[in-house]
Amino acid sequence: MVPQDSGMVAVRNILTRLCKRSGLSSDRLRSTEIDVLPLLDLLAVRQYARRAGIDREEAVLPLVRDLARGLQPTHRLVVDAELSLGLLRENPPPGVDLDQLYAADLGERREYLAVRWAALHEALGAQPIPDTLTVRSLRGAPERRAFTELAAQLATASVFDGAHVVDFAETTAREPDPVDSRGVVTVIGDAVIDHMYLVDRIPGPGGTAPGSYGEHPGGKGLARAVAAARLGLRARLISAVGDDDAGDRILEYLRSERVDTELVKVVPYAPTPVTAVIVAGTGAASTIGCKDERIRLSSQDLRSDAIRSALATSDAVLLTFEQPTGVLEQIMAQLRGLPRRPLVVVHPAPRLDRPQYLYQHLGVVDYLVGDDKDLQALAMADGAASCGDQTATRLRALGVGAVCAIKDFRCAVWSEQVSDRFQPFPTALDDSVGAHAAFSAALVYRLVSTRRPAARNDYVWATAAMVATQSIGAVPGAMPLVSEVERIFKLATEEH
């Protein structure tokens, strides 16, 4: 049974009224006396129109045709004939008179559909063949069920943004470089609106502190995509936002940073996630996430040709463990099955549900980057009894190529090539919210064109990128350019 809310019912009623006369067309939508605004104002219609660069009236028919193809055979035949969608014209079945099935009058279409009911179902491969109907019985439950299902698909469709695709053949305006311009980086992670509270110190229970407030686009996925783009890499983000002003703001911000938003899913009737970030004067931060469970990727999304192609054509994939465990399993299984696997950099999460479900896939992870708490949670290690060496050994035994523990602008690495704790850089702050994102993007920047394992100086360079994020304010706004990282890197190497 399809849930029926007022929006879906309104769309269903519009569709059934549009069946009259010659059926659904852009001209009919422009000239009809029916109030079609609820249909034209659907997220899927607006996004389809914007992506194709056409009017909303012109977008309805191709969108309805696309969705109707996915309906079960009986529902597909009913909406196809009664709206005169012409789906069978693409591959006409033998013995079916398409001129009668798509006649100019609704009554003629209904009559032919009822007469050829069994033959039409056979042409679509339906099993079993439903009992033959009269025109009268067709106008009852079969029509209502078919149009209810179609309306539900239209009203609840989640669509990818597709409004702006960065031309990867273009040179990056910030700091063009013939080496880094070859790197295509796909980031999979969250995009949110950060509510930033800046205080001198984070108050304890019952305490208060004066401060300032601002709102900025943020999120682990968004910050990594922006960081990669600012380093000159060709970045795209796979994420989800709501169909609201906050979602639009995130998309516009990503485009302004030259991040491809083609694969950012817009979820109708759901609010874009918000994260409260309380940042002390030292740079230390506490966060509170407020996320709607509808704002996430689904297994169906990951089966799309667009996402499969994005993963297969990436030089590197940056993955944050913010999606449900089942979705993460599917992403990592897809990566494992690629004939040419991209470089995979993963940021775990301290509250990951059932991390052991991911253990069989950790062999695809080239670099695992997180703080001690993140890494211990993934390894299911007791923080009180487990040191960094023990946690890293557990994770590497599960297949991880390199484990990078980062905290307070410091880095420790365990890998086949490098096992070291690097001397800290001189810093003014104790920490910064964007440090982890900058480290991962900078590491990818150093490796993506060479396809070699990271050497000591690559980790030092990535650590310099963390130091370059020292600021209090919008997190992605602190992501550095190559020149800024190089300056800090040279200072550090001169001192050491």
Side-chain angles (χ1 to χ4, degrees):
M1 180 68 69
V2 176
Q4 300 188 26
D5 59 27
S6 58
M8 187 277 291
V9 171
V11 172
R12 182 189 65 195
N13 292 342
I14 293 168
L15 292 172
T16 54
R17 293 182 67 186
L18 287 171
C19 290
K20 296 178 180 178
R21 296 191 287 275
S22 59
L24 179 62
S25 69
S26 57
D27 289 341
R28 180 82 190 284
L29 289 167
R30 291 189 180 96
S31 61
T32 183
E33 71 286 355
I34 302 169
D35 179 11
V36 295
L37 185 59
L39 174 62
L40 298 178
D41 202 39
L42 289 175
L43 168 65
V45 173
R46 289 186 280 117
Q47 291 286 57
Y48 194 106
R50 190 166 77 167
R51 182 171 188 172
I54 56 180
D55 294 337
R56 286 183 289 173
E57 289 85 356
E58 294 174 337
V60 171
L61 179 57
L63 176 60
V64 168
R65 285 167 57 90
D66 287 347
L67 293 175
R69 289 188 184 96
L71 300 178
Q72 57 105 324
T74 296
H75 294 347
R76 192 188 327 164
L77 285 170
V78 171
V79 301
D80 180 27
E82 299 202 6
L83 287 170
S84 194
L85 300 179
L87 299 182
L88 292 180
R89 293 191 186 279
E90 300 165 1
N91 187 20
V96 175
D97 188 336
L98 298 182
D99 289 337
Q100 292 190 63
L101 183 65
Y102 303 125
D105 179 74
L106 173 59
E108 294 180 42
R109 297 196 296 273
R110 276 186 176 134
E111 185 173 349
Y112 188 77
L113 178 60
V115 169
R116 302 291 292 167
W117 188 256
L120 288 166
H121 278 83
E122 288 177 1
L124 294 185
Q127 291 293 336
I129 305 297
D131 294 338
T132 300
L133 300 178
T134 64
V135 171
R136 181 175 180 179
S137 58
L138 174 64
R139 294 178 64 177
E143 284 188 5
R144 174 170 288 273
R145 293 193 191 103
F147 280 96
T148 296
E149 182 61 37
L150 178 60
Q153 294 286 331
L154 278 164
T156 62
S158 297
V159 294
F160 291 108
D161 173 56
H164 179 85
V165 183
V166 173
D167 184 353
F168 282 174
E170 296 176 359
T171 57
T172 301
R174 292 183 178 275
E175 293 188 13
D177 182 278
V179 175
D180 63 56
S181 65
R182 291 197 297 268
V184 177
V185 180
T186 298
V187 181
I188 308 174
D190 280 358
V192 307
I193 293 293
D194 281 339
H195 288 193
M196 304 286 295
Y197 300 88
L198 310 180
V199 297
D200 290 336
R201 59 176 180 80
I202 299 176
T208 60
S212 59
Y213 168 80
E215 294 183 9
H216 313 278
K220 290 183 174 63
L222 182 146
R224 282 160 176 75
V226 171
R230 289 194 176 185
L231 293 174
L233 297 168
R234 297 170 290 173
R236 57 191 169 206
L237 178 64
I238 300 177
S239 188
V241 297
D243 178 30
D244 54 10
D245 291 342
D248 291 341
R249 183 179 176 188
I250 286 171
L251 292 172
E252 290 301 322
Y253 176 77
L254 287 167
R255 293 168 198 148
S256 73
E257 293 288 342
R258 298 186 56 77
V259 174
D260 184 350
T261 62
E262 173 81 1
L263 297 177
V264 177
K265 184 173 75 168
V266 183
V267 182
Y269 310 116
T272 295
V274 169
T275 297
V277 185
I278 308 172
V279 185
T282 61
S286 297
T287 60
I288 303 171
C290 303
K291 185 174 181 180
D292 190 302
E293 287 303 311
R294 292 170 291 178
I295 305 291
R296 64 182 184 182
L297 300 173
S298 68
S299 296
Q300 182 178 355
D301 296 330
L302 298 176
R303 287 192 291 268
S304 73
D305 291 338
I307 288 184
R308 287 179 177 274
S309 175
L311 296 179
T313 58
S314 296
D315 294 298
V317 171
L318 285 173
L319 172 63
T320 66
F321 277 180
E322 298 170 294
Q323 301 296 326
T325 303
V327 171
L328 296 175
E329 284 187 88
Q330 190 172 345
I331 293 170
M332 298 173 79
Q334 286 188 24
L335 290 169
R336 186 175 58 183
L338 292 175
R340 174 190 169 275
R341 188 185 302 167
L343 181 74
V344 178
V345 179
V346 167
H347 183 101
R351 296 182 181 177
L352 182 65
D353 184 36
R354 299 173 299 178
Q356 63 270 32
Y357 283 51
L358 300 177
Y359 287 173
Q360 63 177 314
H361 303 293
L362 291 184
V364 306
V365 180
D366 297 294
Y367 299 90
L368 186 66
V369 181
D371 62 23
D372 290 340
K373 181 172 60 176
D374 299 333
L375 299 173
Q376 288 168 0
L378 180 59
M380 299 180 69
D382 183 355
S386 177
C387 67
D389 292 334
Q390 292 171 328
T391 299
T393 300
R394 287 192 189 191
L395 293 169
R396 292 191 62 205
L398 291 169
V400 174
V403 177
C404 308
I406 52 179
K407 183 179 181 182
D408 302 337
F409 304 121
R410 303 182 183 206
C411 173
V413 175
W414 296 266
S415 74
E416 185 175 342
Q417 293 76 28
V418 178
S419 290
D420 200 357
R421 295 178 183 271
F422 299 102
Q423 291 297 316
F425 284 58
T427 58
L429 299 178
D430 293 339
D431 199 357
S432 73
V433 181
H436 290 204
F439 181 95
S440 294
L443 187 62
V444 166
Y445 170 85
R446 295 279 292 197
L447 303 179
V448 73
S449 61
T450 63
R451 298 297 301 176
R452 59 169 173 74
R456 188 179 193 282
N457 270 354
D458 298 316
Y459 295 112
V460 176
W461 204 86
T463 303
M466 285 199 292
V467 175
T469 67
Q470 291 183 89
S471 68
I472 302 296
V475 176
M479 297 301 106
L481 304 176
V482 171
S483 59
E484 296 169 331
V485 182
E486 280 291 337
R487 175 177 53 80
I488 296 171
F489 176 73
K490 289 178 181 178
L491 284 173
T493 52
E494 288 171 2
E495 290 184 3
H496 296 88

